[in-house]
Amino acid sequence: MSHKILVSDPISEEGLKSLLDNNEFEVDIQTDLSEEELINIIGNYEGLIVRSQTQVTDKIINSASRLKVIARAGVGVDNIDIEAATLKGILVINAPDGNTISATEHSIAMILAMARNIPQAHQSLRNKEWNRKAFRGVELYGKTLGVIGAGRIGLGVAKRAQSFGMKILAFDPYLTEDKAKSLDIQNATVDEIAEQADFVTVHTPLTPKTRGIVGESFFNKAKPNLQIINVARGGIIDEEALIHALDNNLIDRAAIDVFEHEPPTDSLLISHDKIIVTPHLGASTVEAQEKVAVSVSEEIVDILTNGTVEHAVNAPKMDLSNVDETVKSFVDLGTTIGEFAIQLLEGAPSEIKITFAGDLATNDTSLITRTIVTNILKEYLGEEVNIINALALLNQQGVTYNIEKQKKHSDFSSYVELKLTNDKDQIKIGATVLAGFGPRIVRINDFSLDFKPNEYQIVTCHKDKPGIVGQTGNLLGSHGINIASMTLGRNNEGGDALMILSIDQQASLDVINILRETGGFNRIISTKLTI
């Protein structure tokens, strides 16, 4: 029996060759289908291939009785209801590598067009004007390019910019000094890029950490001649702050290919004299469209014939019915300690060590490992990370990891310990699941303690002295933040101490800053966990 695949958006037949030439697959190409038309036929198919036109809604997904995989021939999956697919157990895959060259080259094209006023000069000449002085540009040679996000595309732009004689400053949480040195680029903070760069390009995923990473603060530090582009994701550059910076001559100009809301029908960006815009063309080349089609077609063959998954965007709900009860109880704990540890660590890890001890160590712990790593990586890489691709993405970031198993633990029948290390910091989290009490964090670095993880925590490091607990409680109370529980740890009287406050509402940055100003704290961290 052949696998039936529906292609509902225009895709080149050359890109679909691995499916069309395979006798085990039957491919139907039906484009411009309405939601109702898709609902009526989707039950016949095991695979669905789309680009950006088809909106794969929850109604379509819930009508898909046989569907095993939805493939987006491209990178973005905003047109697919990921949550509905996940709940239905349907894999969603994309082609993250297919547009690398195209997006890289479009970034360079935007930089050059912006630097030399090419769109404006073109339009002026079309209007039968000859105004050379109005469109005087600047050279790239000798200028500094700031690259925020040094992944495949960011480093591709940096390499090409170096051929123009540009100096490269790069920010990426996973960019090490050794890697930067080998690429002849300088590792920098976002603030250093703001202060020193003549040109800036952004190439990060859109996550809570990167949303608005280039915003008011960045523009206030920037050189007035700064020119900035975004060919990554709308929202990385704060659009309102960008308009303000251009209107007040804080920076010189911008080139934007992506927008917070697309199409940007009422955006001031598309009519601003100092901005050149393109309609999300980063991946719009003949070669890129063929590459992404080839990629998803080949992966659909692998998924439906071999069960091999490489580029999953989601991870369908895990079936834990046949998993050992001890392992099952630690899977959710893996999410907690992964999230907690990465929020406590200053920067991204270069090394990860996971230790399993006691009864837990005698079981297959691969699912727990993948869960922990997934939730570490999500802090910087966002929702593209899941239990299927986590270890591959970890390797891609150059992070080493080590698993250790011990037959016994001195205090607990089963125990897991996560250690994250980089060149500035180290965090160790020990945890267990206690019968009748559930998940417990029992160690943070060298402090032994016992607390039940909550959605919101404030973690402080300070010297053990009278008054710290009282002033903290009073301050939180004055801002309407209720303390659910408090856990204290210290190694000796008057020495280093740790306090964990589980709170009912997340503490704002303003509250954390007020706490810092009260003095007595070496470090204060606000955390949010998936509980």
Side-chain angles (χ1 to χ4, degrees), residues 243-459:
I243 295 291
H244 180 269
L246 290 167
D247 286 346
N248 291 276
N249 299 315
L250 299 179
I251 66 170
D252 190 27
R253 62 193 76 176
I256 305 295
D257 182 56
V258 290
F259 305 85
E260 289 192 42
H261 304 287
E262 295 184 354
T265 51
D266 59 351
S267 173
L268 294 176
L269 298 180
I270 60 177
S271 58
H272 201 286
D273 291 341
K274 294 183 178 180
I275 304 176
I276 64 173
V277 290
T278 51
H280 205 145
L281 298 181
S284 292
T285 61
V286 172
E287 293 84 357
Q289 294 305 316
E290 190 166 303
K291 285 176 188 175
V292 295
V294 169
S295 175
V296 297
S297 296
E298 290 178 349
E299 188 157 359
I300 284 176
V301 172
D302 284 342
I303 290 169
L304 296 182
T305 58
N306 305 318
T308 304
V309 182
E310 185 176 356
H311 295 125
V313 174
N314 69 334
K317 294 190 74 172
M318 296 172 288
D319 180 7
L320 300 179
S321 58
N322 296 318
V323 175
D324 180 90
E325 286 299 321
T326 301
V327 172
K328 190 186 300 184
S329 67
F330 274 80
V331 170
D332 287 342
L333 182 59
T335 296
T336 299
I337 64 172
E339 289 181 338
F340 195 48
I342 192 61
Q343 291 178 65
L344 296 184
L345 187 73
E346 185 179 350
S350 56
E351 296 179 26
I352 296 173
K353 181 180 179 182
I354 304 173
T355 302
F356 298 101
D359 295 342
L360 186 63
T362 65
N363 290 279
D364 179 0
T365 55
S366 58
L367 184 56
I368 304 173
T369 297
R370 286 178 176 271
T371 302
I372 292 172
V373 171
T374 296
N375 288 282
I376 293 170
L377 289 177
K378 276 186 177 180
E379 181 75 2
Y380 292 104
L381 301 185
E383 293 304 315
E384 71 175 87
V385 189
N386 56 61
I387 60 170
I388 295 170
N389 63 16
L391 297 183
L393 289 174
L394 190 70
N395 181 62
Q396 195 176 90
Q397 301 305 320
V399 181
T400 60
Y401 79 100
N402 181 46
I403 306 298
E404 184 176 298
K405 293 195 172 186
Q406 301 172 356
K407 291 182 178 179
K408 292 184 178 180
H409 189 272
S410 57
D411 298 316
F412 304 102
S413 59
S414 286
Y415 175 81
V416 59
E417 185 173 278
L418 171 63
K419 180 180 177 182
L420 304 182
T421 306
N422 60 30
D423 58 358
K424 296 183 293 187
D425 199 12
Q426 177 177 293
I427 290 293
K428 185 189 295 181
I429 303 290
T432 191
V433 178
L434 298 178
F437 296 94
R440 315 294 292 189
I441 303 283
V442 295
R443 175 168 293 278
I444 298 179
N445 288 344
D446 295 330
F447 296 100
S448 294
L449 38 83
D450 178 14
F451 80 94
K452 184 177 182 178
N454 191 44
E455 184 175 7
Y456 304 114
Q457 272 86 208
I458 293 177
V459 181

Side-chain angles (χ1 to χ4, degrees), residues 211-228:
R211 180 175 290 279
I213 193 171
V214 176
E216 181 181 358
S217 175
F218 185 95
F219 294 127
N220 286 336
K221 295 182 178 73
K223 297 160 71 171
N225 67 309
L226 175 66
Q227 301 187 35
I228 188 166

Side-chain angles (χ1 to χ4, degrees), residues 4 17 41 55 152-153 161 180 197 215 331 334 339 411 445 496 501:
K4 294 191 69 175
K17 199 171 177 58
I41 64 173
Q55 299 298 310
R152 295 182 304 272
I153 297 171
V331 170
E339 289 181 338
D411 298 316
N445 288 344
D496 292 332
L501 299 172

Side-chain angles (χ1 to χ4, degrees), residues 1-300:
M1 183 178 176
S2 61
H3 302 288
K4 294 191 69 175
I5 309 298
L6 174 64
V7 179
S8 63
D9 285 338
I11 293 174
S12 72
E13 292 197 6
E14 188 65 28
L16 298 170
K17 199 171 177 58
S18 58
L19 289 170
L20 294 170
D21 293 350
N22 191 319
N23 293 330
E24 295 184 40
F25 288 82
E26 180 183 337
V27 180
D28 289 343
I29 300 175
Q30 299 187 51
T31 60
D32 298 318
L33 296 171
S34 67
E35 181 183 50
E36 186 176 349
E37 288 172 325
L38 263 171
I39 288 171
N40 289 334
I41 64 173
I42 195 64
N44 299 321
Y45 300 95
E46 290 180 74
L48 171 64
I49 302 178
V50 301
R51 285 179 62 189
S52 57
Q53 182 178 331
T54 300
Q55 299 298 310
V56 188
T57 65
D58 60 339
K59 291 181 180 179
I60 293 170
I61 289 168
N62 288 322
S63 301
S65 55
R66 297 178 58 201
L67 201 61
K68 294 182 174 63
V69 57
I70 301 169
R72 165 67 163 92
V75 180
V77 288
D78 299 343
N79 57 317
I80 301 170
D81 191 324
I82 303 295
E83 183 177 357
T86 302
L87 292 172
K88 189 82 171 176
I90 299 169
L91 277 171
V92 179
I93 64 170
N94 66 347
D97 302 328
N99 72 344
T100 299
I101 297 298
S102 292
T104 298
E105 291 182 355
H106 192 62
S107 299
I108 294 295
M110 292 288 268
I111 291 172
L112 289 167
M114 177 176 60
R116 300 305 297 270
N117 297 300
I118 290 172
Q120 298 93 327
H122 168 80
Q123 188 58 49
S124 175
L125 196 55
R126 288 286 296 270
N127 293 337
K128 303 188 185 308
E129 299 168 352
W130 186 263
N131 194 353
R132 296 174 67 194
K133 289 183 180 179
F135 304 112
R136 184 171 58 190
V138 296
E139 293 182 351
L140 302 187
Y141 180 79
K143 301 298 193 302
T144 297
L145 173 66
V147 179
I148 299 177
R152 295 182 304 272
I153 297 171
L155 291 178
V157 174
K159 181 179 180 180
R160 286 156 180 79
Q162 284 171 324
S163 70
F164 286 93
M166 300 187 82
K167 173 187 175 183
I168 309 297
L169 300 179
F171 165 78
D172 191 288
Y174 289 100
L175 180 64
T176 64
E177 290 293 344
D178 287 344
K179 185 176 182 181
K181 187 176 180 180
S182 70
L183 296 169
D184 195 25
I185 63 180
Q186 183 179 327
N187 209 336
T189 65
V190 173
D191 283 349
E192 287 170 340
I193 288 174
E195 292 163 359
Q196 299 175 41
D198 302 296
F199 292 82
V200 166
T201 180
V202 295
H203 297 286
T204 70
L206 183 61
T207 71
K209 274 191 176 298
T210 63
R211 180 175 290 279
I213 193 171
V214 176
E216 181 181 358
S217 175
F218 185 95
F219 294 127
N220 286 336
K221 295 182 178 73
K223 297 160 71 171
N225 67 309
L226 175 66
Q227 301 187 35
I228 188 166
I229 74 163
N230 185 4
V231 185
R233 282 284 178 266
I236 297 171
I237 297 177
D238 184 317
E239 293 181 356
E240 186 176 334
L242 174 61
I243 295 291
H244 180 269
L246 290 167
D247 286 346
N248 291 276
N249 299 315
L250 299 179
I251 66 170
D252 190 27
R253 62 193 76 176
I256 305 295
D257 182 56
V258 290
F259 305 85
E260 289 192 42
H261 304 287
E262 295 184 354
T265 51
D266 59 351
S267 173
L268 294 176
L269 298 180
I270 60 177
S271 58
H272 201 286
D273 291 341
K274 294 183 178 180
I275 304 176
I276 64 173
V277 290
T278 51
H280 205 145
L281 298 181
S284 292
T285 61
V286 172
E287 293 84 357
Q289 294 305 316
E290 190 166 303
K291 285 176 188 175
V292 295
V294 169
S295 175
V296 297
S297 296
E298 290 178 349
E299 188 157 359
I300 284 176

